[in-house]
Amino acid sequence: ASLVVVWAMGMSLMVEQDPVALARGLLEMGTRAIVFSLPFAGLGIAASCLTASSNWARVLALAGTAGSWVVYGYLVTRTTGVAASIADGVLPLLPQAWLGDLWRPGGGVVLATLVCVALAMTAVGVGTWRLMRRDL
């Protein structure tokens, strides 16, 4: 629904656009944005499976999301020594490392999509595994 609103605004308020090309571009970019959000949604689902409190689940999900950005920022700045070797191993596990490939033209978007889906499924799987082992 939001894509339809953006498309209508683009068609009525912007300089004349090709309606089909605009719709195709919005669908493509909207799909890429959804793919990037999947690992964070998986983190939220895992957090809700780890605790019985909805407030604690929110705290865990927000801390995990914010923490992943902090870790990413720290690891990206490590360029020499042992820290660079550790960063090379940890960065592919963070969704932020795949952000650039989602927006570049070419085949990198396929791999980035698969990794984002895998990260989301891993988080959901860990949360589900933990939930199934709890005595509710």
Side-chain angles (χ1 to χ4, degrees):
S2 62
L3 289 177
V4 171
V5 171
V6 171
W7 181 82
M9 296 298 289
M11 293 306 300
S12 60
L13 298 177
M14 291 176 59
V15 177
E16 188 173 328
Q17 304 283 326
D18 176 24
V20 175
L22 183 60
R24 187 185 55 123
L26 286 171
L27 283 172
E28 182 180 339
M29 294 299 146
T31 303
R32 291 176 187 210
I34 289 170
V35 166
F36 181 65
S37 72
L38 288 178
F40 301 106
L43 180 64
I45 292 169
S48 69
C49 291
L50 293 175
T51 181
S53 168
S54 61
N55 289 331
W56 186 236
R58 283 186 199 106
V59 168
L60 288 175
L62 286 171
T65 300
S68 72
W69 282 100
V70 171
V71 169
Y72 173 74
Y74 176 78
L75 292 175
V76 167
T77 61
R78 304 299 142 213
T79 57
T80 60
V82 176
S85 299
I86 293 171
D88 287 342
V90 175
L91 276 174
L93 301 175
L94 297 173
Q96 294 88 341
W98 301 95
L99 180 61
D101 289 337
L102 279 175
W103 301 106
R104 286 188 198 101
V109 69
V110 175
L111 179 61
T113 298
L114 292 174
V115 170
C116 285
V117 169
L119 290 172
M121 296 308 293
T122 301
V124 170
V126 168
T128 303
W129 174 78
R130 174 69 177 114
L131 180 66
M132 289 176 15
R133 295 180 48 98
R134 291 178 66 192
D135 184 15
L136 299 176

